[in-house]
Amino acid sequence: MEQFEPSAPPPFKIADIRAAIPAHCWVKNPWRSLSYVLRDILVICSLVAIAVFFHNSSWVWPVYWAAQGTMFWAIFVLGHDCGHGSFSDSTNLNSIVGHILHSLILVPYHGWRISHRTHHQNHGHVENDESWVPLTEKNYKTLDAPTKLLRFKVPFPLFAYPLYLWTRSPGKTGSHFNPYSELFAPNERRYIATSTLCWTLMVANLIYLSTIIGPSLLFKLYGVPYFVFIMWLDFVTYLHHHGHEDKLPWYRGKEWSYLRGGLTTVDRDYGMFNNIHHDIGTHVIHHLFPQIPHYHLIEATMAAKPVLGKYYREPKRSGPIPLHLIDNLVKSIKQDHYVSDVGDVVYYQTDYQMIGKKVE
């Protein structure tokens, strides 16, 4: 039986995938989108009320931290939909809701929206991709030991997102908060200034709140869930682009295309969390067509699968908690260190010296 080569140019075009997706999957219902916002905010407020009421119980805080951190991640996904324009057809509504949701969890809405757009437009390109971009061998060898530890030793990469917002990835410069960063065009600077102001106001509100309820309680109510949210974000975004059982290609030059890059994304099953975090695990179709609302992604994926064929990698079914994905994460971070400096189709390679293993 002939082995499938994932880097081979697909025998279909992106228009073929688009044509297979039902027309109603492209329709954005702002009221339905807002209902998810209302649902998530009500859950967040209820969790705060429960934690405060039972604050003397030993069991409440670990349960609260896990649940609330997950809900922070859920509202991040809704803000992410605003950034893609899949929340509604109204630019103003998307911007208002996106700023509210992302500022609440200390994400600069426009700064991240624009860099995330760059990620989608260049996914799979070694030099031009933006999120979890691979290091070339040359850049990898310039990293000092502490940087390698933070990037390639679990659990440190799961806390990378705040640092990424301020400094981006190794080998890249700029900040999501700076209107003059190379991330942004001159006509986007006012958007970045607005989002940075909203972020600053949220930080000021947290500082003021700490003077009222005390820094200890604020840390328990907001600080710990924030770090749980960060872990969710890094866990999910990493696994959508890494850690498949078979190594997937990265491209340069004429070998890269929007379609070929998008086809290297990976769907994941998160068990009981699929609905909670708005089916973000259905990632392949989302990457190719980010305009599709999250509540249509599953149907759109089912419709597109016959066209995608072997280029669609069926996610492994999860139990209620996706513990099986921890192995994918640990194995990938341990082995996927850099790509070759040359070649238009490349795969991750391993620094065996760093992991203490001799090359035979």
Side-chain angles (χ1 to χ4, degrees), residues 28-41:
K28 308 159 193 175
N29 184 334
W31 294 110
R32 184 171 182 179
S33 297
L34 286 168
S35 74
Y36 288 108
V37 173
L38 178 62
R39 182 193 78 174
D40 289 358
I41 294 299

Side-chain angles (χ1 to χ4, degrees), residues 99 102-103 106-113 161 165 176-177 192 195-196 199:
H99 270 101
H102 274 189
S103 297
L106 298 180
V107 176
Y109 172 70
H110 280 309
W112 181 86
R113 174 185 67 82
Y161 185 68
L165 289 177
H176 289 75
F177 298 92
I192 309 309
S195 295
T196 300
W199 183 93

Side-chain angles (χ1 to χ4, degrees), residues 79-123:
H80 151 274
D81 288 355
C82 293
H84 279 303
S86 61
F87 189 87
S88 77
D89 287 320
S90 169
T91 302
N92 288 335
L93 180 62
N94 293 336
S95 183
I96 292 170
V97 175
H99 270 101
I100 292 172
L101 295 179
H102 274 189
S103 297
L104 285 173
I105 49 176
L106 298 180
V107 176
Y109 172 70
H110 280 309
W112 181 86
R113 174 185 67 82
I114 293 169
S115 75
H116 189 64
R117 180 189 65 195
T118 301
H119 164 59
H120 270 257
Q121 291 174 342
N122 297 279
H123 179 262

Side-chain angles (χ1 to χ4, degrees), residues 49-170:
I50 292 170
V52 171
F53 187 80
F54 293 103
H55 71 279
N56 289 323
S57 300
S58 59
W59 59 267
V60 72
W61 288 113
V63 174
Y64 170 81
W65 293 332
Q68 193 69 295
T70 301
M71 293 311 302
F72 282 14
W73 164 236
I75 65 170
F76 173 89
V77 176
L78 293 178
H80 151 274
D81 288 355
C82 293
H84 279 303
S86 61
F87 189 87
S88 77
D89 287 320
S90 169
T91 302
N92 288 335
L93 180 62
N94 293 336
S95 183
I96 292 170
V97 175
H99 270 101
I100 292 172
L101 295 179
H102 274 189
S103 297
L104 285 173
I105 49 176
L106 298 180
V107 176
Y109 172 70
H110 280 309
W112 181 86
R113 174 185 67 82
I114 293 169
S115 75
H116 189 64
R117 180 189 65 195
T118 301
H119 164 59
H120 270 257
Q121 291 174 342
N122 297 279
H123 179 262
H125 194 291
V126 174
E127 282 79 26
N128 297 339
D129 200 352
E130 177 62 30
S131 177
W132 293 111
V133 62
L135 294 170
T136 62
E137 184 173 8
K138 179 180 178 180
N139 286 337
Y140 176 82
K141 289 180 177 179
T142 66
L143 301 182
D144 56 24
T147 302
K148 288 181 179 179
L149 177 70
L150 292 174
R151 186 175 175 92
F152 299 109
K153 294 289 185 181
V154 175
F156 301 115
L158 295 180
F159 297 97
Y161 185 68
L163 186 63
Y164 164 71
L165 289 177
W166 285 101
T167 64
R168 297 176 75 194
S169 303

